[in-house]
Amino acid sequence: MPLKFELCPGRMIGGNNPCFIIAEIGQNHQGDIEIAKKMIKMAKDCGADCAKFQKSELEFKFNKKALERPYTSKQSWGKTYGEHKRHLEFSHEQYRELQQYAKEVGIFFTASGMDEMAVEFLNELNVPFFKVGSGDTNNFPYLKKTAQKGRPMVVSSGMQSMETMRRVYQTVKEHNQNFCILQCTSAYPLEPEDVNLRVIMEYQKEFPDIPIGYSGHESGISITVGAVALGAKVVERHVTLDKTWKGSDHAASLEPEELAELVRSIRTVERALGTGVKRMLPCEVPCHDKLGKSVVAKTAIPKGTELTLDMLTVKVAEPKGIAPEDIFQLVGKKVTIDIEEDESVNEDAVDNYGKKAKA
């Protein structure tokens, strides 16, 4: 069974624990702290476990030329990429305010640290776990320093190869036992043929001692529910209040009613996964009592007759007789009483049948 650990205070993941559902607000708050608060409340109301943001210290994430690059997209909040990102970046004090609001609402709060200085701040903020975005998954100095902080980690794997993910696993595992890896494809929005859910199962084989999850950017909820059916223990989806808002992530995000339906569907699938033990369940007994078949005499069988297969058939019968799967065990045994045509054949009517079956 996959490793279990406490991702957030009092909330275990892995094993038979419920899937941990992250509502990725990211920067879909439009740079407005009041919208951000509405989104935190929405995530809580829809049943998500965690509201997550993205924190950058821009001068540490981008070099000067990247920040000065003209940004003329219709999604832009400024003339340069730096102006655009600064519009969407909350201050440290605003993060503290959002963290406090999430506490009041009753939902876990964290953020992806998009550079090493952002991780330092989030560590100071005392977030329950670090999220590593796909852009930093192959950033091994960052991974090592983040793992050494000792907080649980959730690591996305977009844009990476299995070879790289093996190195990621080894790098984090050396310093931190409590982490999970999410299958992810970094495209927005993501087409179904590029999702590659089977990687979840490959990760489960490659890394059997950690939980595996899924971070999705596709439209709708079906694929994420499928990921849970394959064993994802953590799922992350971008959320928005309005898909038509300015910003490249909104089109690949879930609106409130979709997030609520995702949570309901995941919880339903979890109930349906069961134990993996195949047996007749108590809920099946009424159907079995009504329609379950038994071995029946095809012809009249006098006492002392040695049974052959052509003397027997299978029907829904009253009273219940020997189960159909045992019909071949009857061949060659003698009956101890007269059995009429079309009568149920029960254990007491066959010499030594019950004793042999119990043995």
Side-chain angles (χ1 to χ4, degrees), residues 33-34 37 40 91-104 109 125:
I33 194 166
E34 294 307 316
K37 289 179 179 178
I40 291 171
S91 68
H92 289 191
E93 191 53 42
Q94 286 174 313
Y95 260 87
R96 293 187 180 93
E97 184 178 343
L98 290 172
Q99 183 185 48
Q100 179 59 34
Y101 180 75
K103 183 178 179 181
E104 293 169 6
F109 173 92
L125 201 63

Side-chain angles (χ1 to χ4, degrees), residues 17-271:
N17 293 288
C19 179
F20 189 85
I21 302 171
I22 300 172
E24 165 68 300
I25 295 169
Q27 296 192 320
N28 281 353
H29 47 69
Q30 313 300 82
D32 186 324
I33 194 166
E34 294 307 316
I35 291 176
K37 289 179 179 178
K38 287 180 182 178
M39 296 184 77
I40 291 171
K41 182 66 162 57
M42 179 269 285
K44 170 63 176 179
D45 291 345
C46 291
D49 293 290
C50 179
K52 190 181 82 65
F53 290 78
Q54 295 174 6
K55 183 70 185 92
S56 299
E57 303 293 346
L58 296 179
E59 285 71 23
F60 291 88
K61 181 179 180 181
F62 301 99
N63 71 3
K64 290 181 180 180
K65 288 186 177 180
L67 290 173
E68 293 168 357
R69 185 178 69 214
Y71 194 50
T72 57
S73 164
K74 64 179 181 179
Q75 313 291 2
S76 174
W77 293 95
K79 294 180 180 180
T80 66
Y81 198 63
E83 288 178 12
H84 165 76
K85 296 300 287 185
R86 287 186 186 95
H87 173 83
L88 295 171
E89 196 63 48
F90 288 137
S91 68
H92 289 191
E93 191 53 42
Q94 286 174 313
Y95 260 87
R96 293 187 180 93
E97 184 178 343
L98 290 172
Q99 183 185 48
Q100 179 59 34
Y101 180 75
K103 183 178 179 181
E104 293 169 6
V105 167
I107 189 170
F108 294 116
F109 173 92
T110 194
S112 298
M114 308 300 277
D115 54 80
E116 290 182 16
M117 291 306 296
V119 171
E120 293 295 332
F121 167 66
L122 293 172
N123 191 52
E124 177 190 325
L125 201 63
N126 199 28
V127 296
F129 68 93
F130 294 128
K131 170 67 198 301
V132 178
S134 294
D136 280 304
T137 299
N138 61 350
N139 181 350
F140 288 99
Y142 166 102
L143 273 184
K144 180 178 178 180
K145 289 179 182 177
T146 302
Q148 287 174 331
K149 300 291 185 190
R151 298 185 188 274
M153 294 170 64
V154 175
V155 184
S156 279
S157 62
M159 304 178 286
Q160 311 303 329
S161 66
M162 183 62 85
E163 181 181 355
T164 297
M165 294 313 300
R166 292 187 187 106
R167 287 184 61 196
V168 168
Y169 170 86
Q170 293 294 342
T171 299
V172 177
K173 191 78 172 178
E174 182 180 351
H175 304 284
N176 191 336
Q177 301 294 308
N178 296 330
F179 70 103
C180 67
I181 289 173
L182 310 185
Q183 162 56 0
C184 177
T185 302
S186 298
Y188 307 81
L190 175 61
E191 295 301 320
E193 54 268 27
D194 293 324
V195 172
N196 210 356
L197 284 181
R198 287 195 175 99
V199 173
I200 292 173
M201 296 181 286
E202 293 304 309
Y203 282 164
Q204 289 166 343
K205 288 186 283 187
E206 284 278 342
F207 316 121
D209 58 345
I210 64 170
I212 301 301
Y214 174 70
S215 176
H217 309 114
E218 72 278 0
S219 299
I221 68 170
S222 300
I223 289 170
T224 303
V225 175
V228 175
L230 289 178
K233 302 302 183 181
V234 175
V235 297
E236 175 186 78
R237 288 297 303 272
H238 285 255
V239 298
T240 182
L241 296 179
D242 188 339
K243 290 184 183 183
T244 67
W245 278 356
K246 184 165 74 173
S248 56
D249 284 347
H250 291 287
S253 300
L254 301 177
E255 291 182 338
E257 57 274 19
E258 292 177 298
L259 177 60
E261 180 57 31
L262 174 65
V263 173
R264 285 192 295 268
S265 296
I266 286 174
R267 300 308 177 214
T268 299
V269 165
E270 287 177 327
R271 288 168 56 203

